[in-house]
Amino acid sequence: GVSPMRHLTELRIRHAQHLLERSPLTIKEVAFLVGFADQLYFSRVFRQETGQPPTAFRQRVASAVTSQKALS
């Protein structure tokens, strides 16, 4: 099983990914909205969970969207 804290962290990071994909919010704003008071801690946890920092995640999503538009 997964501990309650681990499950909460996974939910927070999933929500953060959603916000980073679909909103113009800053990383700091996203961190706060998903329950992290410290942006640097949020970035560290995000990287541990996803393998990349939130800025790289957002850039990858943006370039994927741009590539899809170019193919259309």
Side-chain angles (χ1 to χ4, degrees), residues 13-70:
I13 297 303
R14 211 172 307 139
H15 188 177
Q17 288 175 308
H18 176 81
L19 291 172
L20 290 167
E21 289 172 347
R22 294 172 176 84
S23 76
L25 297 170
T26 65
I27 303 298
K28 184 175 184 174
E29 291 168 328
V30 169
F32 179 77
L33 286 172
V34 299
F36 289 86
D38 182 348
Q39 177 184 344
L40 293 177
Y41 181 65
F42 165 72
S43 293
R44 186 169 38 241
V45 172
F46 190 97
R47 182 189 305 241
Q48 287 172 346
E49 293 295 316
T50 67
Q52 60 189 336
T55 50
F57 176 83
R58 178 174 266 168
Q59 289 170 353
R60 183 183 58 78
V61 169
S63 63
V65 168
T66 303
S67 295
Q68 283 183 341
K69 286 182 181 177

